[in-house]
Amino acid sequence: MTLAIALLALQFPAWMTSPRPMEVFRLRAPHNDAVYNIPRLARDLNAVDVGHATAYEALVTGRQSILETKIWQRIVRTLENPPSFKPDESAISPRFAKLYGELERVFDWAHILHAQTIDVLASNLSDAQKEAEIERLWNYYRTRAPYAITGLPMNMEFLDSQPYSGHFRIKYPKVNALFWGYHWLQGAMYDMLYRVPSDMWELSYDVVRDQYFQRELWDTERDFMPMFAEQSPRFAARFPQLANAFDNLHMLHDMVNDILADESLDRNAKHQEIRKAIWMVLDSTHADCKSGRGEEKSLHDHRHMNGMPGIGMMVGSTPELMYMPRMGWMGMEDCHHCSMYMPDEELRWRRATVSVDGWTMEVRCPLCARDMAAQYPGRAILRLPTEDPNRLLVLVGDEMGNYTTTMKEAVFLEVEGEHPECNRWSHAFTSIQAFRQYVRENPQYKDAKPYTLEEWAALSGKKPATYRKIEGPVENPYKHWHKRGGR
Amino acid sequence: MKNLLLLLTALPISVFSIDHSKLDFGRPLRIDDAHPLALGEMALKFGVSSVRSHSSPKHEFETSYLYGFAPAMHVEVGLGSGIESNKSEADGHVSLFIGLTRETPSTFAAAVRFDARFEDANTSLLARGILGGRMGDYGKWHFNGDIVAQLDPSFWKRSFSLAAAIGYSSPIGMPRDFTQTIVAAINLNQSLVKAEGWTSSFAIGLRKQIGIREVMDIGLETDFLASKGAPRNALKVVLGYSKSF
C-alpha cells in the first residue's frame, strides 16, 4: 500500500507538492456577489463556509471527541445566525490550511465557481445572457488554474469504495448530516433560480430553506450524499459539466472527511491519501476521457445515466436504472408520475419539475407535477413550462396544496385523458389569450374550460394507468453499503 | 476627514485577498503579511493618519492601487501627501511583491517586497523580507526585515538604514463573529540621520470587514524608545479602507 502511494506520488502534478502561492482571482464581472439579491441565501451560504472550515479544523487539531457535541453545536449556532459576509475559511481553519494547502486550493477554486454561477443566476441578466456567462465561467474555471475538478461524470460507487470510505459518516453522523445538508442546499439552489423569474426567488427560497432547516441538515439516515441532478435536474441537463464538477467536489469532501476520520492512517498516510483523492477528481487526470464512456466501476468510468448527462453511475446503478434515496429505483428518461417518455433534446424545456420532500423530479405535464406533489408531505415548488419557452410558470405551494405565483394571468388546460397524451391535454399558459390560441389550434379541446390557478390546484387526476413501479435488483443498494464492506 | 469618509462610503460595494485577516503594510500598522494578491486580483487602499510629535502635528493621506499581475506576484503604485506646519509635501512609491512560499508543516510563509520610493527630491530603494506563521489556535506571527538605500544621500544622511518589525495578529470574536482581526506590532527603525540612533514603537490596530470584500482599519502607534536623539512621535492615529475587486 505504502509503495503504491509512493508510486502514485510520482504522478501528482507539480503544483500539488509545491509550497509556492498560486491563487487565482475569480472572473471579474458585474454580476459578482449578486447572490446578495437573495440576502437569506447569501447568508446561509456564508454559514456553510464556516461549517465546513470549523469541522475540518476540529478534525486536524485533535478535537474529534467533541465533534458531535460542542463543535456540532457551535456550527449549528452559526447556521442559525449566519454571517453577513463570506468568511475567510483559512482564518477559521488555519491548521487545516497549513497541513493541506493543496486541498484548500482545490476547494477554494471550486467554491468560487459555485459562488459565481449562483451570482449569475441571481443577477438581473437575461436568461440567454446568464447561460452564456455560465459557459464563460466554466471555461475560466477549467483553464485558469491547474487545480480544476473534472466536469466528467464519475462513478460514485468507485470513488466511495476506497479503503477509508464510510469512516466519517459512521463515526460522526450528525456532522456528516450537516455536510450533506450543505451539499443539498448547494444543489437545490440552482433549479430554484435557473430560468425562474426574479420575483419568485424569495418565495421559492422560503420552501427550500424550510426543507434545509427542518430536515436536510439533520438527516443522519440519508443513504448517500445528495447528488446535484437529484436537486436540480433542469440545470444539470443544461450544464452537465458543472453538475458533475459539483458532485465530484462534494465527493472529494466526503473522501477527505473519511480519510481524516480513519484512525488507521497516520498523518503522512492521510496526506498522501488526500493528494490521491484530489488527483482522482482533477480535470487533468481525465484529460483524454469522454463523457459517456469508460471502463465500468473504474476511475475512468465516465458513463452517465440515460437521459441525464449530469450524473455519473451510482451505487448499484446501470445507465437505465438508479436508486434514489427517499424515492427508490428509477430511470431518468420517463415521467416519474405516469412513466411515459419525456421530451428530450430541443424539446426538453417542455418538462415540468416538482420539488417536494427534499428531491426534485422531472415530470411530463402540470397534472403529473401537481398530483405527484400531493402524494408527499410538505411544501412544494412546481416549475411548469408554458406556451413560451422563455417563460416558466413557478408555483410555490403550502402544506395544503394551495399555490402562489406572481404570474397572475396564468391559466390552465386540463381535460384528463390517457397519459400517453398528457402533455397535450394538461398545459399551463401565461394568459387566457395563449390558452385560446392553443384551443383554436387543437379543436378537440374547444369545450375546455380555462382554469384559474385556484381552480386547477383543487383538481386531482386519476392514478395514471401507464404508471409502472420500477423494481431494482435489490431493495436498497445502500443498505449496509459500508457496514457490509461494500468496498 | 468627514469628506474623506463620505467619499469612502460612497464607493460601490463588491469585491478577495484583501481580507481582514491578511495584513497590508500601512493598513493600519507598518507590517506586511507574506500573502500576495491572487492572480488577476486588484485592490484599492486609502488611508489617513495624524501624527502628534513634540514638534508640530503632521497629517497624511495615502492611496494605492494593487494588481496581481502574475502568479504569487503583485505590483503596487501609491501616492501620498502630507501637511506639516502649513508646509505640504508629496510622495509616491512603486512596489513589487513576490510570494515565495505559503505556510506548510515544513516552511514558513515567506515573501519579498521591493519598493522604489520618491519623497520630494529624495529617492530610496527598499528590500523587505517577510515571514509569517501560525501561532496558537488562530493567531499568526509576522516578521519584516527591511534594508533601505538612499540613492542620493546628503552628507549627514545614511546611505543604508535598517528596520524590522515583529507582529501578532488574531481574529477576534470567533466563533460568533468572523469579520475582525486584531493586530499588534513592535517596529524598530534606524534613523536616516547618521548622528541619530534607533526608534522603537509599539502599535495596535484592528481590521474590520465592513462590506463583501471591504475592510476598514484603525490603528494607534506610539514611539516608546529613541536612542541618540532619534525623532520620537507621541502618538500616530491611522484610519484606512481597502477594497479588492
Side-chain angles (χ1 to χ4, degrees):
Chain A
M1 187 62 189
T2 308
L3 178 63
I5 291 174
L7 288 172
L8 189 62
L10 298 174
Q11 298 184 44
F12 291 152
W15 66 264
M16 205 186 283
T17 51
S18 167
R20 192 90 203 277
M22 54 175 70
E23 281 66 33
V24 180
F25 196 59
R26 64 182 180 177
L27 179 70
R28 190 168 292 105
H31 50 67
N32 284 347
D33 304 315
V35 67
Y36 283 88
N37 288 332
I38 311 161
R40 290 179 302 164
L41 173 62
R43 296 187 64 192
D44 288 338
L45 292 173
N46 293 339
V48 166
D49 291 347
V50 176
H52 273 134
T54 303
Y56 281 136
E57 189 67 3
L59 280 169
V60 298
T61 52
R63 289 181 289 160
Q64 295 92 327
S65 62
I66 56 169
L67 190 57
E68 290 277 280
T69 52
K70 285 184 180 173
I71 301 292
W72 182 86
Q73 287 164 1
R74 182 184 300 175
I75 295 171
V76 170
R77 206 161 47 228
T78 303
L79 294 169
E80 291 172 347
N81 302 280
S84 299
F85 308 123
K86 187 175 173 60
D88 175 9
E89 288 184 58
S90 67
I92 302 168
S93 54
R95 179 78 179 160
F96 180 78
K98 178 177 175 175
L99 288 172
Y100 306 115
E102 63 274 34
L103 177 64
E104 195 191 28
R105 277 177 191 154
V106 177
F107 280 160
D108 283 352
W109 190 230
H111 290 160
I112 286 172
L113 179 68
H114 241 321
Q116 289 204 275
T117 47
I118 285 301
D119 285 339
V120 169
L121 293 178
S123 72
N124 56 11
L125 297 173
S126 68
D127 287 338
Q129 288 171 321
K130 287 178 181 180
E131 302 218 358
E133 200 60 13
I134 288 171
E135 295 282 7
R136 191 163 80 102
L137 282 171
W138 173 247
N139 187 49
Y140 186 83
Y141 172 75
R142 278 194 75 195
T143 57
R144 291 301 291 248
Y147 34 83
I149 291 175
T150 181
L152 291 168
M154 299 275 291
N155 186 308
M156 293 294 149
E157 180 173 345
F158 171 80
L159 292 176
D160 199 41
S161 299
Q162 307 305 308
Y164 46 75
S165 295
H167 276 80
F168 188 79
R169 73 200 72 163
I170 291 168
K171 286 170 84 171
Y172 309 112
K174 286 167 65 184
V175 176
N176 185 67
L178 294 180
F179 268 81
W180 285 0
Y182 312 148
H183 298 166
W184 178 89
L185 176 64
Q186 290 171 324
M189 63 189 180
Y190 283 83
D191 267 13
M192 188 190 90
L193 298 172
Y194 178 55
R195 288 187 165 267
V196 168
S198 59
D199 55 9
M200 290 301 296
W201 294 346
E202 286 283 357
L203 280 169
S204 297
Y205 193 55
D206 280 341
V207 179
V208 171
R209 195 168 193 270
D210 278 356
Q211 181 70 23
Y212 177 57
F213 275 103
Q214 287 175 13
R215 179 167 185 187
E216 303 303 333
L217 283 168
W218 330 115
D219 187 0
T220 56
E221 298 300 315
R222 185 189 282 278
D223 292 317
F224 199 74
M225 71 173 198
M227 297 297 288
F228 189 98
E230 291 173 350
Q231 318 306 329
S232 287
R234 291 184 312 121
F235 187 90
R238 173 63 184 83
F239 297 103
Q241 64 278 47
L242 276 106
N244 291 319
F246 293 144
D247 280 342
N248 298 336
L249 164 70
H250 293 163
M251 177 46 76
L252 179 61
H253 270 294
D254 276 10
M255 294 164 85
V256 168
N257 290 349
D258 289 339
I259 293 166
L260 293 176
D262 186 343
E263 287 168 8
S264 71
L265 301 172
D266 63 22
R267 185 193 286 180
N268 281 338
K270 283 181 179 176
H271 202 166
Q272 288 307 305
E273 288 290 359
I274 283 176
R275 285 180 169 172
K276 182 180 161 192
I278 295 170
W279 173 82
M280 288 164 90
V281 301
L282 283 180
D283 194 35
S284 54
T285 305
H286 305 278
D288 301 323
C289 299
K290 283 195 164 56
S291 179
R293 298 184 187 173
E295 184 189 343
E296 282 184 30
K297 296 186 184 180
S298 74
L299 177 64
H300 296 296
D301 182 356
H302 302 303
R303 294 173 303 150
H304 53 71
M305 297 301 299
N306 289 349
M308 177 46 76
I311 192 168
M313 291 294 103
M314 304 295 294
V315 174
S317 73
T318 64
E320 298 79 28
L321 210 57
M322 70 173 273
Y323 182 88
M324 190 166 156
R326 300 180 190 169
M327 293 295 288
W329 290 95
M330 60 187 51
M332 290 275 188
E333 296 176 290
D334 298 333
C335 174
H336 298 289
H337 183 66
C338 69
S339 303
M340 297 307 299
Y341 71 93
M342 285 191 288
D344 206 353
E345 306 293 334
E346 296 84 34
L347 295 179
R348 193 176 182 115
W349 65 272
R350 288 188 176 171
R351 294 186 186 190
T353 62
V354 50
S355 299
V356 65
D357 200 29
W359 44 257
T360 295
M361 284 289 167
E362 291 185 296
V363 289
R364 201 161 177 251
C365 72
L367 176 143
C368 287
R370 181 196 65 212
D371 287 6
M372 191 172 180
Q375 294 171 11
Y376 294 87
R379 303 172 68 190
I381 304 174
L382 311 186
R383 302 176 192 90
L384 309 178
T386 64
E387 78 287 351
D388 182 346
N390 296 314
R391 294 188 68 189
L392 195 65
L393 171 61
V394 181
L395 306 178
V396 171
D398 63 16
E399 305 275 354
M400 304 303 294
N402 302 307
Y403 286 96
T404 304
T405 183
T406 52
M407 193 188 284
K408 298 296 181 194
E409 316 79 44
V411 292
F412 298 81
L413 170 79
E414 188 167 311
V415 183
E416 191 172 359
E418 296 302 319
H419 272 266
E421 301 240 309
C422 68
N423 57 347
R424 296 184 63 80
W425 51 253
S426 174
H427 256 291
F429 299 94
T430 58
S431 65
I432 186 70
Q433 290 79 11
F435 172 91
R436 287 177 183 146
Q437 174 74 19
Y438 183 81
V439 169
R440 268 197 299 277
E441 292 166 2
N442 296 273
Q444 67 270 38
Y445 305 122
K446 66 180 188 319
D447 297 325
K449 176 189 174 188
Y451 289 110
T452 64
L453 173 59
E454 290 72 23
E455 292 167 333
W456 176 82
L459 299 176
S460 177
K462 297 190 287 278
K463 183 180 177 183
T466 50
Y467 176 73
R468 58 186 171 83
K469 182 172 171 51
I470 299 175
E471 301 290 342
V474 294
E475 187 187 346
N476 178 354
Y478 295 102
K479 199 172 181 184
H480 310 306
W481 165 234
H482 285 298
K483 290 173 199 160
R484 76 176 178 202
R487 47 190 179 269
Chain B
M1 184 65 190
K2 194 175 172 184
N3 288 340
L4 174 67
L5 281 174
L6 282 172
L7 171 69
L8 297 182
T9 51
L11 289 167
I13 296 174
S14 81
V15 194
F16 229 9
S17 240
I18 293 291
D19 200 299
H20 66 88
S21 62
K22 297 182 175 76
L23 308 186
D24 283 309
F25 189 84
R27 300 271 55 84
L29 308 190
R30 292 183 293 144
I31 193 160
D32 252 326
D33 209 338
H35 189 91
L37 291 192
L39 174 63
E41 183 176 10
M42 296 182 190
L44 286 172
K45 300 194 295 185
F46 302 92
V48 290
S49 63
S50 183
V51 180
R52 288 182 62 135
S53 63
H54 297 298
S55 55
S56 54
K58 182 178 180 182
H59 308 289
E60 291 179 317
F61 168 78
E62 57 189 358
T63 179
S64 52
Y65 164 79
L66 298 83
Y67 175 54
F69 69 100
M73 290 189 212
H74 70 249
V75 290
E76 177 176 342
V77 180
L79 291 171
S81 63
I83 300 173
E84 185 175 17
S85 302
N86 295 324
K87 194 182 90 178
S88 65
E89 55 190 35
D91 61 76
H93 70 269
V94 178
S95 304
L96 172 66
F97 190 105
I98 305 173
L100 300 176
T101 58
R102 61 181 170 81
E103 190 185 11
T104 71
S106 56
T107 59
F108 296 130
V112 291
R113 170 180 171 147
F114 303 100
D115 283 15
R117 295 179 172 180
F118 314 99
E119 288 179 59
D120 290 336
N122 300 322
T123 301
S124 59
L125 301 177
L126 170 144
R128 172 175 298 150
I130 304 162
L131 294 174
R134 301 286 164 189
M135 191 173 174
D137 283 347
Y138 296 103
K140 288 195 285 187
W141 62 267
H142 310 270
F143 172 78
N144 289 186
D146 294 0
I147 181 165
V148 181
Q150 302 296 326
L151 289 193
D152 190 17
S154 308
F155 69 94
W156 48 275
K157 275 190 172 179
R158 287 191 167 91
S159 299
F160 292 94
S161 61
L162 303 173
I166 55 170
Y168 174 79
S169 64
S170 177
I172 55 172
M174 290 208 304
R176 293 179 188 275
D177 187 327
F178 305 92
T179 62
Q180 50 198 2
T181 294
I182 194 165
V183 54
I186 291 176
N187 291 71
L188 196 60
N189 290 280
Q190 189 176 31
S191 172
L192 288 178
V193 179
K194 283 179 181 171
E196 296 173 350
W198 293 75
T199 304
S200 306
S201 62
F202 173 75
I204 187 163
L206 180 76
R207 289 172 60 82
K208 169 86 179 169
Q209 188 176 1
I210 58 164
I212 294 170
R213 287 193 181 89
E214 299 168 288
V215 174
M216 201 95 190
D217 62 82
I218 186 164
L220 296 173
E221 182 177 329
T222 183
D223 295 342
F224 63 88
L225 210 62
S227 66
K228 293 186 187 172
R232 189 173 159 183
N233 294 324
L235 186 67
K236 180 179 181 182
V237 182
V238 179
L239 182 68
Y241 167 90
S242 316
K243 170 187 177 68
S244 83
F245 50 96

